[in-house]
PDB file of all heavy atoms in Angstrom:
ATOM      1  N   LEU A  43      30.064 -39.415   0.857  1.00 90.00           N
ATOM      2  CA  LEU A  43      29.712 -38.522   1.930  1.00 90.00           C
ATOM      3  C   LEU A  43      29.939 -37.056   1.554  1.00 90.00           C
ATOM      4  O   LEU A  43      29.169 -36.183   1.917  1.00 90.00           O
ATOM      5  CB  LEU A  43      30.536 -38.858   3.188  1.00 90.00           C
ATOM      6  CG  LEU A  43      30.115 -40.055   4.025  1.00 90.00           C
ATOM      7  CD1 LEU A  43      31.118 -40.308   5.127  1.00 90.00           C
ATOM      8  CD2 LEU A  43      28.711 -39.830   4.601  1.00 90.00           C
ATOM      9  N   ARG A  44      30.990 -36.815   0.796  1.00 87.00           N
ATOM     10  CA  ARG A  44      31.347 -35.455   0.480  1.00 87.00           C
ATOM     11  C   ARG A  44      30.629 -34.880  -0.735  1.00 87.00           C
ATOM     12  O   ARG A  44      30.616 -33.665  -0.931  1.00 87.00           O
ATOM     13  CB  ARG A  44      32.872 -35.360   0.261  1.00 87.00           C
ATOM     14  CG  ARG A  44      33.629 -35.636   1.560  1.00 87.00           C
ATOM     15  CD  ARG A  44      35.133 -35.693   1.322  1.00 87.00           C
ATOM     16  NE  ARG A  44      35.849 -35.932   2.598  1.00 87.00           N
ATOM     17  CZ  ARG A  44      37.131 -36.180   2.681  1.00 87.00           C
ATOM     18  NH1 ARG A  44      37.891 -36.235   1.582  1.00 87.00           N
ATOM     19  NH2 ARG A  44      37.700 -36.394   3.847  1.00 87.00           N
ATOM     20  N   THR A  45      30.043 -35.766  -1.547  1.00 82.00           N
ATOM     21  CA  THR A  45      29.453 -35.271  -2.806  1.00 82.00           C
ATOM     22  C   THR A  45      27.961 -35.571  -2.947  1.00 82.00           C
ATOM     23  O   THR A  45      27.257 -34.830  -3.637  1.00 82.00           O
ATOM     24  CB  THR A  45      30.202 -35.891  -4.027  1.00 82.00           C
ATOM     25  OG1 THR A  45      30.065 -37.308  -3.983  1.00 82.00           O
ATOM     26  CG2 THR A  45      31.659 -35.487  -3.994  1.00 82.00           C
ATOM     27  N   ALA A  46      27.489 -36.673  -2.348  1.00 82.00           N
ATOM     28  CA  ALA A  46      26.093 -37.068  -2.563  1.00 82.00           C
ATOM     29  C   ALA A  46      25.112 -36.060  -1.969  1.00 82.00           C
ATOM     30  O   ALA A  46      25.332 -35.521  -0.890  1.00 82.00           O
ATOM     31  CB  ALA A  46      25.830 -38.474  -1.969  1.00 82.00           C
ATOM     32  N   GLU A  47      24.015 -35.810  -2.685  1.00 85.00           N
ATOM     33  CA  GLU A  47      23.014 -34.882  -2.236  1.00 85.00           C
ATOM     34  C   GLU A  47      22.100 -35.476  -1.180  1.00 85.00           C
ATOM     35  O   GLU A  47      21.301 -34.751  -0.565  1.00 85.00           O
ATOM     36  CB  GLU A  47      22.176 -34.360  -3.404  1.00 85.00           C
ATOM     37  CG  GLU A  47      21.082 -35.307  -3.893  1.00 85.00           C
ATOM     38  CD  GLU A  47      21.578 -36.367  -4.854  1.00 85.00           C
ATOM     39  OE1 GLU A  47      22.778 -36.671  -4.865  1.00 85.00           O
ATOM     40  OE2 GLU A  47      20.742 -36.931  -5.614  1.00 85.00           O
ATOM     41  N   THR A  48      22.207 -36.794  -0.937  1.00 91.00           N
ATOM     42  CA  THR A  48      21.280 -37.484  -0.049  1.00 91.00           C
ATOM     43  C   THR A  48      21.899 -37.813   1.309  1.00 91.00           C
ATOM     44  O   THR A  48      21.366 -38.672   2.008  1.00 91.00           O
ATOM     45  CB  THR A  48      20.804 -38.783  -0.709  1.00 91.00           C
ATOM     46  OG1 THR A  48      21.939 -39.540  -1.125  1.00 91.00           O
ATOM     47  CG2 THR A  48      19.920 -38.486  -1.935  1.00 91.00           C
ATOM     48  N   VAL A  49      22.997 -37.124   1.690  1.00 94.00           N
ATOM     49  CA  VAL A  49      23.596 -37.385   2.976  1.00 94.00           C
ATOM     50  C   VAL A  49      22.859 -36.612   4.047  1.00 94.00           C
ATOM     51  O   VAL A  49      22.717 -35.392   4.011  1.00 94.00           O
ATOM     52  CB  VAL A  49      25.081 -36.960   2.973  1.00 94.00           C
ATOM     53  CG1 VAL A  49      25.696 -37.151   4.375  1.00 94.00           C
ATOM     54  CG2 VAL A  49      25.870 -37.751   1.945  1.00 94.00           C
ATOM     55  N   THR A  50      22.253 -37.341   5.020  1.00 96.00           N
ATOM     56  CA  THR A  50      21.539 -36.743   6.116  1.00 96.00           C
ATOM     57  C   THR A  50      21.996 -37.424   7.423  1.00 96.00           C
ATOM     58  O   THR A  50      22.700 -38.446   7.353  1.00 96.00           O
ATOM     59  CB  THR A  50      20.018 -36.913   5.974  1.00 96.00           C
ATOM     60  OG1 THR A  50      19.666 -38.291   6.347  1.00 96.00           O
ATOM     61  CG2 THR A  50      19.555 -36.648   4.551  1.00 96.00           C
ATOM     62  N   PRO A  51      21.592 -36.926   8.578  1.00 97.00           N
ATOM     63  CA  PRO A  51      21.929 -37.631   9.830  1.00 97.00           C
ATOM     64  C   PRO A  51      21.404 -39.063   9.896  1.00 97.00           C
ATOM     65  O   PRO A  51      21.852 -39.848  10.720  1.00 97.00           O
ATOM     66  CB  PRO A  51      21.299 -36.742  10.876  1.00 97.00           C
ATOM     67  CG  PRO A  51      21.313 -35.370  10.301  1.00 97.00           C
ATOM     68  CD  PRO A  51      20.996 -35.604   8.849  1.00 97.00           C
ATOM     69  N   LEU A  52      20.428 -39.417   9.020  1.00 97.00           N
ATOM     70  CA  LEU A  52      19.989 -40.813   8.985  1.00 97.00           C
ATOM     71  C   LEU A  52      20.922 -41.727   8.221  1.00 97.00           C
ATOM     72  O   LEU A  52      20.853 -42.954   8.383  1.00 97.00           O
ATOM     73  CB  LEU A  52      18.587 -40.883   8.353  1.00 97.00           C
ATOM     74  CG  LEU A  52      17.423 -40.333   9.211  1.00 97.00           C
ATOM     75  CD1 LEU A  52      16.160 -40.246   8.395  1.00 97.00           C
ATOM     76  CD2 LEU A  52      17.193 -41.237  10.416  1.00 97.00           C
ATOM     77  N   GLY A  53      21.759 -41.140   7.393  1.00 97.00           N
ATOM     78  CA  GLY A  53      22.706 -41.946   6.620  1.00 97.00           C
ATOM     79  C   GLY A  53      22.813 -41.401   5.201  1.00 97.00           C
ATOM     80  O   GLY A  53      22.615 -40.215   4.951  1.00 97.00           O
ATOM     81  N   ILE A  54      23.134 -42.299   4.260  1.00 94.00           N
ATOM     82  CA  ILE A  54      23.241 -41.916   2.837  1.00 94.00           C
ATOM     83  C   ILE A  54      22.127 -42.579   2.055  1.00 94.00           C
ATOM     84  O   ILE A  54      22.092 -43.827   1.962  1.00 94.00           O
ATOM     85  CB  ILE A  54      24.614 -42.362   2.265  1.00 94.00           C
ATOM     86  CG1 ILE A  54      25.769 -41.900   3.142  1.00 94.00           C
ATOM     87  CG2 ILE A  54      24.769 -41.792   0.849  1.00 94.00           C
ATOM     88  CD1 ILE A  54      27.142 -42.373   2.657  1.00 94.00           C
ATOM     89  N   GLY A  55      21.255 -41.808   1.543  1.00 91.00           N
ATOM     90  CA  GLY A  55      20.105 -42.348   0.806  1.00 91.00           C
ATOM     91  C   GLY A  55      20.443 -42.536  -0.687  1.00 91.00           C
ATOM     92  O   GLY A  55      21.511 -42.172  -1.154  1.00 91.00           O
ATOM     93  N   ARG A  56      19.495 -43.110  -1.395  1.00 86.00           N
ATOM     94  CA  ARG A  56      19.613 -43.283  -2.846  1.00 86.00           C
ATOM     95  C   ARG A  56      19.340 -41.929  -3.516  1.00 86.00           C
ATOM     96  O   ARG A  56      18.465 -41.191  -3.082  1.00 86.00           O
ATOM     97  CB  ARG A  56      18.618 -44.322  -3.362  1.00 86.00           C
ATOM     98  CG  ARG A  56      19.083 -45.750  -3.161  1.00 86.00           C
ATOM     99  CD  ARG A  56      18.118 -46.720  -3.812  1.00 86.00           C
ATOM    100  NE  ARG A  56      16.829 -46.704  -3.170  1.00 86.00           N
ATOM    101  CZ  ARG A  56      16.505 -47.401  -2.085  1.00 86.00           C
ATOM    102  NH1 ARG A  56      17.452 -48.197  -1.540  1.00 86.00           N
ATOM    103  NH2 ARG A  56      15.323 -47.332  -1.536  1.00 86.00           N
ATOM    104  N   SER A  57      20.074 -41.673  -4.586  1.00 80.00           N
ATOM    105  CA  SER A  57      19.867 -40.429  -5.332  1.00 80.00           C
ATOM    106  C   SER A  57      18.553 -40.507  -6.090  1.00 80.00           C
ATOM    107  O   SER A  57      18.083 -41.559  -6.434  1.00 80.00           O
ATOM    108  CB  SER A  57      21.026 -40.227  -6.300  1.00 80.00           C
ATOM    109  OG  SER A  57      20.992 -41.240  -7.324  1.00 80.00           O
ATOM    110  N   ARG A  58      17.977 -39.340  -6.359  1.00 79.00           N
ATOM    111  CA  ARG A  58      16.736 -39.283  -7.138  1.00 79.00           C
ATOM    112  C   ARG A  58      16.981 -39.746  -8.567  1.00 79.00           C
ATOM    113  O   ARG A  58      16.141 -40.319  -9.214  1.00 79.00           O
ATOM    114  CB  ARG A  58      16.171 -37.868  -7.146  1.00 79.00           C
ATOM    115  CG  ARG A  58      15.648 -37.409  -5.790  1.00 79.00           C
ATOM    116  CD  ARG A  58      14.634 -36.312  -5.908  1.00 79.00           C
ATOM    117  NE  ARG A  58      13.371 -36.817  -6.481  1.00 79.00           N
ATOM    118  CZ  ARG A  58      12.864 -36.380  -7.623  1.00 79.00           C
ATOM    119  NH1 ARG A  58      13.510 -35.480  -8.354  1.00 79.00           N
ATOM    120  NH2 ARG A  58      11.702 -36.839  -8.073  1.00 79.00           N
ATOM    121  N   ARG A  59      18.187 -39.520  -9.058  1.00 77.00           N
ATOM    122  CA  ARG A  59      18.547 -40.010 -10.404  1.00 77.00           C
ATOM    123  C   ARG A  59      18.467 -41.538 -10.470  1.00 77.00           C
ATOM    124  O   ARG A  59      17.899 -42.090 -11.371  1.00 77.00           O
ATOM    125  CB  ARG A  59      19.969 -39.514 -10.787  1.00 77.00           C
ATOM    126  CG  ARG A  59      20.449 -40.061 -12.117  1.00 77.00           C
ATOM    127  CD  ARG A  59      21.856 -39.533 -12.410  1.00 77.00           C
ATOM    128  NE  ARG A  59      22.373 -40.098 -13.637  1.00 77.00           N
ATOM    129  CZ  ARG A  59      22.998 -41.278 -13.737  1.00 77.00           C
ATOM    130  NH1 ARG A  59      23.137 -42.016 -12.601  1.00 77.00           N
ATOM    131  NH2 ARG A  59      23.443 -41.722 -14.901  1.00 77.00           N
ATOM    132  N   TYR A  60      19.050 -42.177  -9.475  1.00 79.00           N
ATOM    133  CA  TYR A  60      19.012 -43.642  -9.440  1.00 79.00           C
ATOM    134  C   TYR A  60      17.603 -44.150  -9.249  1.00 79.00           C
ATOM    135  O   TYR A  60      17.188 -45.094  -9.887  1.00 79.00           O
ATOM    136  CB  TYR A  60      19.923 -44.211  -8.359  1.00 79.00           C
ATOM    137  CG  TYR A  60      19.850 -45.727  -8.341  1.00 79.00           C
ATOM    138  CD1 TYR A  60      20.636 -46.454  -9.200  1.00 79.00           C
ATOM    139  CD2 TYR A  60      18.926 -46.390  -7.542  1.00 79.00           C
ATOM    140  CE1 TYR A  60      20.502 -47.851  -9.265  1.00 79.00           C
ATOM    141  CE2 TYR A  60      18.800 -47.785  -7.593  1.00 79.00           C
ATOM    142  CZ  TYR A  60      19.626 -48.502  -8.455  1.00 79.00           C
ATOM    143  OH  TYR A  60      19.505 -49.856  -8.540  1.00 79.00           O
ATOM    144  N   GLU A  61      16.853 -43.491  -8.336  1.00 79.00           N
ATOM    145  CA  GLU A  61      15.481 -43.912  -8.097  1.00 79.00           C
ATOM    146  C   GLU A  61      14.672 -43.917  -9.394  1.00 79.00           C
ATOM    147  O   GLU A  61      13.877 -44.834  -9.681  1.00 79.00           O
ATOM    148  CB  GLU A  61      14.799 -43.005  -7.051  1.00 79.00           C
ATOM    149  CG  GLU A  61      15.347 -43.104  -5.648  1.00 79.00           C
ATOM    150  CD  GLU A  61      14.710 -44.268  -4.913  1.00 79.00           C
ATOM    151  OE1 GLU A  61      14.047 -45.118  -5.508  1.00 79.00           O
ATOM    152  OE2 GLU A  61      14.867 -44.290  -3.657  1.00 79.00           O
TER     153      GLU A  61
END
Side-chain angles (χ1 to χ4, degrees):
L43 282 175
R44 293 175 179 172
T45 60
E47 79 277 21
T48 53
V49 177
T50 77
L52 287 171
I54 308 176
R56 280 185 294 276
S57 67
R58 292 203 70 243
R59 175 180 176 275
Y60 179 84
E61 291 277 14

